[in-house]
C-alpha cells in the first residue's frame, strides 16, 4: 500500500509547547502535503512540500522532507488550544490522486 | 475561490436500503473530484475519483458506485447498503493544476 503512516498516533501537550508529528511513506513522490481535521469536519490544507524541497515554513508550521528516508515531519511551534485536531500527511505519486496517512490526534491543553 | 456543498450532514439508513450522496462544487470549472471514506478515528480511504464528466476511476472493489453527470456534480450511490458501509464520507475537489484538495464538510453515514 502507498498509504503513509503518521507517528505518533496521539500526542498530548500543554499550550506553548512544540508539537512534532512524523509521516513515513513507501514509494517515490511528487509532493507531500499536510492537512488538519477538526472533529467531525472536512480536512483543511496546511502546507505542501515538493520532492525537491527539504524544508518549508508557514507561520508557526515547519515541514521537513527527507526523500532518502521517505519521511516528513510537521512541527507546530508555540502550540495553542485551538491547534487541537487530527493532522494527516498525504502523498502524490505521479497521478491526480492523493493518498492519505492514518493521522496524528493532537490534544493541546490550556 | 471554490465552495464544496455536501449533503446531508448526517444520515441513518437501514441495511439493504439504497444510498445517494451528492456533492456539488461552485466557483470553478473542470475540477478533479474525489470521494473518500473515513472510519471512526482512522485515516482516509480513496473510493473514487473523476477527472471529467462520465469519467470515474474506482480505487477499491466495494458495494458503492459513483457518477459524474455534470462538470461540478459528483454522486456516490449504493443499491443496497451493508453495515460495513458506515463511515464519514468526504467529497473533495482539485482545480486548475493546483495540487491541494478542498474538502466538503462530510456526511456521517450510519447503517443499522
Amino acid at each position: 500500500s502507498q498509504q503513509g503512516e503518521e507517528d505518533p498516533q496521539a500526542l498530548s501537550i500543554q499550550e506553548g509547547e512544540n508539537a512534532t508529528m512524523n509521516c513515513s511513506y513507501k514509494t517515490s513522490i511528487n509532493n507531500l502535503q499536510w492537512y488538519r481535521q477538526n472533529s467531525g469536519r472536512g480536512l483543511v490544507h496546511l502546507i505542501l512540500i515538493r520532492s525537491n524541497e527539504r524544508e518549508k515554513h508557514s507561520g508557526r508550521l515547519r515541514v521537513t522532507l527527507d526523500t532518502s528516508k521517505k519521511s516528513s515531519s510537521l512541527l507546530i511551534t508555540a502550540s495553542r488550544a485551538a491547534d487541537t485536531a487530527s493532522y494527516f500527511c498525504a502523498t502524490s505519486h505521479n497521478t491526480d490522486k492523493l493518498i492519505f496517512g492514518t493521522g496524528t490526534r493532537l490534544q493541546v491543553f490550556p | 475561490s471554490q465552495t464544496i456543498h455536501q449533503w446531508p450532514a448526517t444520515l441513518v439508513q437501514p441495511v439493504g436500503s439504497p444510498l445517494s450522496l451528492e456533492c456539488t462544487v461552485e466557483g470553478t470549472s473542470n475540477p478533479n473530484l474525489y470521494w473518500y471514506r473515513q472510519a471512526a478515528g482512522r485515516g482516509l480511504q480513496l473510493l473514487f475519483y473523476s477527472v471529467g464528466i462520465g469519467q470515474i476511476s474506482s480505487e477499491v472493489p466495494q458495494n458503492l458506485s459513483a457518477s459524474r453527470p455534470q462538470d461540478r456534480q459528483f454522486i456516490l450511490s449504493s443499491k443496497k447498503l451493508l453495515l460495513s458501509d458506515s463511515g464519514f464520507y468526504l467529497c473533495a475537489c482539485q482545480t486548475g493544476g493546483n495540487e491541494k484538495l478542498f474538502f466538503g464538510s462530510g456526511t456521517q453515514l450510519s447503517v443499522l
Side-chain angles (χ1 to χ4, degrees), chain A residues 3 30-31 33 35 37 40-45 48 50 88 95-103 105, chain B residues 32 34 36 38 41-46 49 51 59 88 90 94 98-106 108:
Chain A
Q3 187 176 42
N30 291 337
N31 64 66
Q33 305 179 37
Y35 288 77
Q37 183 183 32
R41 307 294 296 273
L43 281 72
V44 176
H45 180 267
L48 179 153
R50 300 194 183 282
F88 295 88
T95 69
D96 295 318
K97 299 182 295 185
L98 266 188
I99 305 299
F100 283 80
T102 51
R105 295 185 304 279
Chain B
N32 290 343
Y34 304 81
Y36 285 89
Q38 185 177 30
R42 305 293 297 277
L44 277 70
Q45 179 186 32
L46 179 61
Y49 74 99
V51 299
E59 287 301 295
F88 190 50
L90 288 158
Q94 190 180 49
N98 192 335
E99 292 147 304
K100 66 182 183 182
L101 290 183
F102 294 90
F103 282 84
S105 53
Q108 182 64 54

Side-chain angles (χ1 to χ4, degrees), chain B residues 12-100:
Chain B
V12 180
Q13 291 285 107
V15 169
S17 64
L19 172 74
S20 181
L21 299 181
E22 188 165 340
C23 170
T24 58
V25 181
E26 291 181 355
T28 188
S29 59
N30 262 348
N32 290 343
L33 296 173
Y34 304 81
W35 279 110
Y36 285 89
R37 177 170 61 200
Q38 185 177 30
R42 305 293 297 277
L44 277 70
Q45 179 186 32
L46 179 61
L47 301 177
F48 300 96
Y49 74 99
S50 171
V51 299
I53 295 173
Q55 301 179 60
I56 309 293
S57 295
S58 174
E59 287 301 295
V60 293
Q62 57 202 319
N63 185 41
L64 303 168
S65 62
S67 62
R68 186 168 176 176
Q70 300 181 45
D71 181 47
R72 290 173 288 178
Q73 184 184 30
F74 204 23
I75 298 171
L76 183 70
S77 303
S78 174
K79 292 181 179 177
K80 287 186 178 181
L81 284 169
L82 306 172
L83 287 174
S84 57
D85 292 323
S86 293
F88 190 50
Y89 288 83
L90 288 158
C91 178
C93 80
Q94 190 180 49
T95 65
N98 192 335
E99 292 147 304
K100 66 182 183 182

